[in-house]
Amino acid sequence: MASIVHRIKDLLVGLPAVSPLVIPLMLRNPKRLPVFLADTYRTYRAHARLRVPSIEPWELLGFKGEITMKLGENGLFAAMEPSFLMMQLVAMLKPERVFEIGTSQGRSTALIAMNTPPATKIFTLDLPPESQVPSGASDLHLIELARKELGIAFRDTNWSSRITQLLGDSEGFDFKPYYDSIDLATVDGSHTYKFVRCDSMNAFRMIRPGGVILWHDFESMRSEYGVSRFVDEMRDRHGFKVYRLGREQGDSRYAVMRVDAESKKRLAAFAANPSTF
């Protein structure tokens, strides 16, 4: 029932983007119709300059110089622009310690690993395969996939020794050993607002000054997703400099923030008392 409600909401959100292309799409593949409308609406917002300002990796980091990137290895390749931008950012940042909330098959984990120095330690957290699905979680099909193929993209690779697979529900997981020690934190667990907020608070605790926080699936128009809502609150209510990673007309699906010493203090204060956010 909940999925039907969300599908109806997705259709309503996308109504301003309706075009004649909807009719043949609806006839050929009705399940893709809500996604088509949401993506078209996002394009409309871009042209209307209603989107969050964009920033490219070199601008965010003040990077000047050359980098060497690996676009693929061991049969895994970056197939989309969002992954390329994330990999570019990682190659420039050269993080010593990375914490990823939301492993799934480990594709992003592997793409990060292949573009970080050999000494980089990567920690990635996901639900134990045998655990119950948390109440209010999104993307149940991805949770089921992770039960069968958790971390499959980096298993038995030459980076696997640098990757630590952690198991637990992010709502109750003990993040204390990682406080103030992470250079790159990625929030990519369940995408409902409740979990995005919880996972972000833990990212605030873990990130150290100079580090970067990434939120995946930003700007998705799916009604069950809360990533955009949370990022909008950070920008509009609290004045944090959070950007859309990419070019002005691009579509990276990542929101990004570089954390300096002052913003770290503010983030830590919110994490200590989330009700003030």
Side-chain angles (χ1 to χ4, degrees), residues 12-230:
L12 293 176
V13 166
L15 281 179
V18 168
S19 81
L21 291 174
V22 168
I23 297 173
L25 179 67
M26 185 163 49
L27 294 174
R28 292 186 63 183
N29 192 344
K31 291 183 179 180
R32 295 296 297 174
L33 181 60
V35 177
F36 169 81
L37 293 175
D39 286 346
T40 308
Y41 185 56
R42 182 165 48 246
T43 302
Y44 156 75
R45 286 176 60 86
H47 287 292
R49 298 188 181 278
L50 297 175
R51 299 175 84 183
V52 167
S54 63
I55 195 167
E56 295 192 51
W58 65 268
E59 295 177 280
L60 178 75
L61 302 177
F63 184 86
K64 296 179 181 179
E66 297 181 351
I67 58 170
T68 300
M69 291 178 57
K70 288 184 179 179
L71 300 182
E73 194 174 327
N74 290 339
L76 176 67
F77 296 88
M80 300 174 65
E81 182 182 10
S83 297
F84 177 80
L85 287 163
M86 180 271 290
M87 293 157 66
Q88 190 180 50
L89 173 66
V90 167
M92 292 177 182
L93 183 63
K94 293 182 173 62
E96 294 180 9
R97 287 164 64 86
V98 177
F99 200 108
E100 176 187 51
I101 300 176
T103 311
S104 190
Q105 292 177 300
R107 290 182 56 84
S108 295
T109 326
L111 294 173
I112 290 172
M114 71 174 69
N115 283 286
T116 48
T120 298
K121 299 295 183 184
I122 300 171
F123 306 93
T124 181
L125 174 69
D126 213 309
L127 291 168
E130 69 282 359
S131 68
Q132 295 290 322
V133 176
S135 175
S138 67
D139 301 301
L140 301 185
H141 64 296
L142 294 180
I143 293 176
E144 287 303 315
L145 180 64
R147 290 184 193 276
K148 304 172 185 175
E149 300 183 356
L150 182 64
I152 194 171
F154 58 77
R155 289 183 204 159
D156 303 318
T157 65
N158 54 340
W159 335 291
S160 59
S161 62
R162 300 197 284 116
I163 300 171
T164 301
Q165 179 69 68
L166 303 169
L167 298 176
D169 184 340
S170 61
E171 277 195 300
F173 185 79
D174 183 10
F175 288 91
K176 288 187 181 69
Y178 310 95
Y179 282 7
D180 304 313
S181 69
I182 298 299
D183 302 296
L184 174 66
T186 68
V187 178
D188 193 16
S190 180
H191 292 83
T192 54
Y193 178 81
K194 166 189 172 183
F195 287 100
V196 173
R197 189 174 185 274
C198 174
D199 294 345
S200 297
M201 293 296 162
N202 284 314
F204 295 169
R205 298 178 180 105
M206 293 190 291
I207 202 72
R208 57 186 175 192
V212 170
I213 302 175
L214 281 171
W215 289 266
H216 193 218
D217 286 309
F218 172 64
E219 278 199 326
S220 171
M221 295 299 169
R222 287 180 56 181
S223 58
E224 64 181 315
Y225 278 21
V227 185
S228 294
R229 174 185 166 189
F230 184 82

Side-chain angles (χ1 to χ4, degrees), residues 212-266:
V212 170
I213 302 175
L214 281 171
W215 289 266
H216 193 218
D217 286 309
F218 172 64
E219 278 199 326
S220 171
M221 295 299 169
R222 287 180 56 181
S223 58
E224 64 181 315
Y225 278 21
V227 185
S228 294
R229 174 185 166 189
F230 184 82
V231 169
D232 287 344
E233 288 177 355
M234 288 194 68
R235 286 180 51 82
D236 300 337
R237 184 185 298 175
H238 302 294
F240 286 108
K241 294 180 180 179
V242 186
Y243 301 93
R244 178 171 52 85
L245 184 66
R247 297 182 297 274
E248 183 178 353
Q249 298 298 333
D251 182 17
S252 80
R253 305 293 176 93
Y254 279 104
V256 63
M257 178 183 181
R258 182 82 187 273
V259 179
D260 58 21
E262 183 57 34
S263 58
K264 169 63 182 180
K265 290 179 183 178
R266 294 185 60 207

